């Protein structure tokens, strides 16, 4: 086991090789649970990234013209390989992220495989050309066809280093695109495993390329002639990436941070709500964009709920997940995340919050932070307003569900939200008042696993969607084909030459069609 790695402010805590000119040439991957060096990859140069996009474009030209069914048939071989080699994927991801093996299997592998299955089963339907009924130009016919965009770029974070990039990669491939992916510098090996499995299935190698590097590599990818970018990461990086996409007119999807509120209504099932808070707050050590990041508990259930959350949190087993299936909470990816957690707690305590469980970094090998529950929280505290991305659940007591909704909406972020109540219809009504991309009633996180449902944020949590039918269509250019229903005459009354008579005729048509009470409107209403 190697020594714990030191924080390097230039590299998010990861070590790197440096060339004579100061450029970073390699990325080292460290196990956060042990400090062990797991491996390293070479940083791709700008020229290599440009060349990867050019090769991808050639591969796409052959792939994009295959019938959807054939593409899906070939991608299902990749699915078989992912299932066969699931344990290998779990090993790499678990070690590289310090993440429990259960999380790796269910959240990283199963969700990826299910998304691919859904798209392969439904792509022919989702991407089928369809006619649009025209309400005015009845003599014309319109249809929409979906054509692959070309080369899709993907830039992905470290917290789900397999499922987040692979979900985007597979959607792009099903739709007939090629993909160039730049994973986070912190977790290069997880996606290296995906690429190794991909290459073993006989799919064209250049159809899916991985380039490695830091922010500059992401920037180079955006400037390399891609036709779409799917970015997942923090809000501040997202703003820079969106600006770069704007400068290059690259359409983009922005999947950014979250600050998911959980509303515990007066009539919630306290046991289920408490367990959901503990799971939703501490799974993957809280490093989840849809983690339970703040709880608003109705005063009538608050004390009971806090007591149960504390008890359940006390039973969690934290440690190095490698070689065991009985660790619940693993490590923290790098020291900076621990510093962020410490700052939130110090700020909250200084403003009157109480630590009910945890509250500090664990001593000894590896980067671990105790699952922490805070009570007496309010919106003057950063822990209730800014993304934590660590194992902290702050709880605020509220006097009414209206107050909870108001506080839930008092955020610049809007990715996921949760409502707990025994009255499901009431839960759905409250859900519709919450400003978030997805609101889940009586459950947590699970919406990400619904391949059919769009996933993404509003406000500064981003724009565009992944998953669901629209995300697959958005991997394509929607091309509009417009034609006639009847033989076209040799000229058209709206074409040249213009005349006063033609103008007056147009005015009569306008009034007949659109004036309130016009004869055409009245006749139209009869049918
Ligand atoms: P970052 O924003 O730091 O990085 C995301 C990716 O962008 C990384 O690959 C990073 O590379 C790259 N990058 C950094 N700078 C640039 C740049 N200037 N141009 C192009 N690419 C760049 O996010 P994290 O990896 O720290 O991930 C955590 C964040 O991701 C959290 O805020 C979380 O909420 C969010 N997230 C959102 C999800 C969603 O679906 N909405 C899901 C999961 C996470 P490098 O690593 O080399 O810096």
């Amino acid at each position: 086991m190697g020594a714990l790695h030191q924080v390097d402010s230039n590299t998010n805590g990861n070590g790197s090789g440096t060339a004579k000119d100061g450029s970073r040439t390699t990325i080292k991957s460290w196990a956060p649970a042990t400090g062990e060096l797991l491996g390293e990859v070479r940083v791709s140069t700008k020229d290599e990234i440009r060349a990867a996009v050019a090769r991808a474009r050639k591969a796409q030209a052959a792939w994009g013209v295959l019938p959807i069914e054939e593409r899906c048939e070939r991608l299902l071989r990749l699915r078989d390989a992912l299932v066969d080699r699931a344990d290998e994927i779990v090993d790499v991801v678990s070690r590289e992220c310090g993440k429990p093996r259960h999380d790796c299997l269910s959240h990283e592998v199963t969700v990826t495989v299910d998304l691919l299955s859904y798209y392969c089963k439904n792509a022919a339907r989702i991407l089928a050309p369809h006619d649009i009924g025209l309400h005015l130009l009845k003599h014309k016919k319109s249809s929409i066809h979906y054509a692959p965009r070309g080369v899709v770029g993907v830039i992905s974070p470290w917290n789900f280093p397999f499922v987040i990039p692979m979900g985007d990669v597979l959607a792009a491939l099903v739709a007939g695109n090629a993909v160039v992916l730049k994973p986070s510098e912190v977790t290069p090996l997880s996606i290296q495993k995906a690429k190794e499995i991909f290459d073993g299935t006989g799919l064209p190698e250049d159809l899916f390329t991985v380039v490695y590097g830091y922010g500059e590599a992401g920037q180079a990818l955006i400037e390399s002639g891609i036709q779409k970018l799917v970015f997942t990461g923090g809000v501040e990086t997202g703003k820079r990436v969106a600006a770069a996409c704007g400068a290059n007119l690259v359409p983009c999807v922005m999947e950014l941070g979250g600050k998911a509120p959980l509303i515990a209504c007066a009539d919630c099932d306290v046991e289920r709500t408490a367990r959901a808070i503990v799971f939703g707050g501490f799974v993957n050590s809280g490093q989840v964009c849809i983690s339970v990041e703040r709880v608003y508990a109705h005063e009538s259930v608050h004390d009971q709920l806090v007591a149960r959350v504390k008890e359940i949190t006390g039973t969690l087993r934290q440690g190095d997940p490698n070689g065991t299936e009985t660790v619940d909470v693993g490590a923290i990816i790098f020291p900076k995340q621990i510093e962020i957690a410490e700052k939130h707690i110090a700020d909250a305590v200084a403003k009157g919050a109480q630590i009910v469980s945890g509250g500090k970094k664990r001593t000894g090998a590896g980067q671990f932070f105790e699952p922490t529950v805070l009570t007496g929280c309010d919106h003057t505290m950063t822990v209730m307003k800014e993304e934590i991305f660590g194992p902290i659940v702050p709880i605020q007591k509220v006097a009414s569900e209206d107050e909870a909704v108001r506080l839930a909406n008092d955020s610049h972020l809007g990715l996921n939200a949760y409502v707990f109540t025994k009255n499901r219809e009431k839960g759905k009504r409250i859900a519709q008042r919450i400003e978030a991309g997805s609101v889940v009633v009586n459950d947590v996180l699970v919406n990400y696993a619904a391949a059919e449902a769009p996933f993404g944020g509003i406000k500064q949590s981003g724009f565009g969607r992944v998953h669901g039918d629209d995300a697959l269509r958005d991997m394509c250019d929607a091309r509009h084909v417009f034609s006639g229903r009847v033989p076209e005459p040799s000229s058209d009354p709206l074409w040249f030459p213009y005349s006063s008579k033609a103008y007056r005729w147009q005015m009569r048509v306008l009034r007949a069609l659109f004036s309130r009470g016009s004869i055409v409107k009245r006749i139209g209403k009869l049918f």
Side-chain angles (χ1 to χ4, degrees), residues 257-424:
K259 186 72 194 161
L262 183 149
I263 297 177
C265 295
D267 63 348
C268 71
D269 173 337
V270 171
E271 182 63 19
R272 181 168 176 84
T273 310
R275 289 189 176 279
I277 289 170
V278 173
F279 180 73
F282 301 136
V283 68
N284 199 21
S285 293
Q287 301 167 118
V288 186
C289 54
I290 52 177
S291 279
V292 173
E293 284 244 341
R294 47 195 172 121
V295 174
Y296 302 105
H298 192 277
E299 58 190 10
S300 62
V301 288
H302 174 272
D303 294 355
Q304 213 188 336
L305 191 65
V306 169
R308 259 323 263 153
V309 168
K310 181 184 171 166
E311 272 169 19
I312 300 164
T313 303
T315 66
L316 296 176
R317 297 156 300 177
Q318 187 175 36
D320 177 5
N322 189 27
T324 169
E325 265 107 41
T326 54
V327 159
D328 301 311
V329 181
I332 296 282
I333 193 78
F334 47 60
K336 197 180 88 187
Q337 291 302 126
I338 292 184
E339 286 165 25
I340 294 171
E342 286 170 339
K343 272 193 193 148
H344 280 302
I345 292 172
D347 175 78
V349 170
K351 290 171 182 163
Q354 296 91 47
I355 300 175
V356 171
S357 304
K360 55 185 189 309
K361 176 182 182 324
R362 259 182 37 178
T363 53
Q367 291 149 193
F368 294 92
F369 199 87
E370 295 172 347
T372 299
V373 180
L374 300 173
T375 53
C377 297
D378 62 45
H379 276 220
T380 63
M381 302 169 186
T382 61
V383 79
M384 296 298 284
K385 298 285 285 176
E386 293 168 18
E387 191 178 39
I388 306 167
F389 229 57
I392 304 175
V393 170
I395 303 177
Q396 175 165 357
K397 192 192 279 188
V398 292
S400 68
E401 284 145 14
D402 281 346
E403 184 186 2
V405 170
R406 182 179 59 73
L407 290 167
N409 290 338
D410 177 24
S411 174
H412 63 294
L413 299 171
L415 191 55
N416 251 32
Y418 308 107
V419 182
F420 281 74
T421 163
K422 283 186 194 147
N423 180 341
R424 200 175 293 148

Side-chain angles (χ1 to χ4, degrees), residues 415-448:
L415 191 55
N416 251 32
Y418 308 107
V419 182
F420 281 74
T421 163
K422 283 186 194 147
N423 180 341
R424 200 175 293 148
E425 290 310 312
K426 180 178 99 178
K428 288 196 260 180
R429 282 196 302 276
I430 293 177
Q432 287 174 42
R433 295 168 60 199
I434 298 179
E435 295 160 2
S438 302
V439 186
V440 181
V441 179
N442 292 334
D443 210 331
V444 285
L445 312 182
V446 67
N447 58 305
Y448 191 80

Side-chain angles (χ1 to χ4, degrees), residues 112-143:
T112 303
V113 162
D114 179 59
L115 187 72
L116 178 57
S117 305
Y118 174 74
Y119 277 150
C120 286
K121 206 167 151 191
N122 293 285
R125 167 185 62 79
I126 298 168
L127 301 180
H130 58 89
D131 292 344
I132 310 174
L134 300 173
H135 82 283
L136 179 62
L137 305 176
K138 297 287 185 200
H139 59 305
K140 297 288 186 185
K141 199 173 171 194
S142 250
S143 58

Side-chain angles (χ1 to χ4, degrees), residues 27-248:
I27 292 173
K28 290 186 167 65
S29 172
W30 306 87
T34 61
E36 185 185 1
L37 178 62
L38 297 174
E40 65 178 57
V41 296
R42 199 173 59 72
V43 169
S44 314
T45 65
K46 281 185 187 174
D47 286 345
E48 285 169 339
I49 293 169
R50 250 192 302 273
V53 172
R55 283 197 311 277
R57 190 171 316 293
K58 278 196 186 147
Q60 191 275 328
W63 177 252
V65 294
L66 292 178
I68 293 176
E69 290 78 3
E70 192 175 334
R71 289 202 298 263
C72 290
E73 181 56 41
R74 296 180 68 179
L75 287 168
L76 285 173
R77 276 182 240 153
L78 172 61
R79 180 187 68 176
D80 295 343
L82 294 173
V83 173
D84 287 348
R85 297 176 68 179
D87 246 335
E88 279 176 58
I89 302 167
V90 168
D91 283 343
V92 178
V93 178
S94 173
R95 282 159 70 84
E96 193 166 47
C97 296
K99 186 188 286 221
R101 295 176 63 79
H102 275 278
D103 297 358
C104 298
L105 185 58
S106 56
H107 306 161
E108 302 270 8
V109 182
T110 308
V111 174
T112 303
V113 162
D114 179 59
L115 187 72
L116 178 57
S117 305
Y118 174 74
Y119 277 150
C120 286
K121 206 167 151 191
N122 293 285
R125 167 185 62 79
I126 298 168
L127 301 180
H130 58 89
D131 292 344
I132 310 174
L134 300 173
H135 82 283
L136 179 62
L137 305 176
K138 297 287 185 200
H139 59 305
K140 297 288 186 185
K141 199 173 171 194
S142 250
S143 58
I144 300 292
H145 299 251
Y146 295 97
R149 286 181 184 261
V151 182
V152 173
V154 176
I155 299 180
S156 57
W158 46 262
N159 63 331
F160 287 92
F162 194 86
V163 65
I164 288 179
M166 287 311 287
D168 300 331
V169 167
L170 295 169
L173 293 177
V174 167
N177 301 285
V179 185
V180 179
L181 160 69
K182 193 213 81 73
S184 165
E185 51 151 313
V186 188
T187 50
L189 303 184
S190 299
I191 212 64
Q192 195 181 49
K193 176 57 71 180
K195 173 65 175 157
E196 179 194 313
I197 296 173
F198 180 92
D199 287 347
T201 56
L203 283 155
E205 208 179 300
D206 292 335
L207 211 49
F208 167 40
T209 307
V210 182
V211 296
Y212 297 98
Y214 304 89
E216 312 88 84
Q219 177 76 25
L221 178 58
I222 296 165
E223 291 167 352
S224 291
I226 55 174
Q227 277 69 51
K228 171 174 173 160
L229 180 81
V230 185
F231 172 84
T232 307
V235 173
E236 291 314 312
T237 316
K239 287 178 186 170
R240 286 200 294 278
V241 170
C245 287
N248 290 276

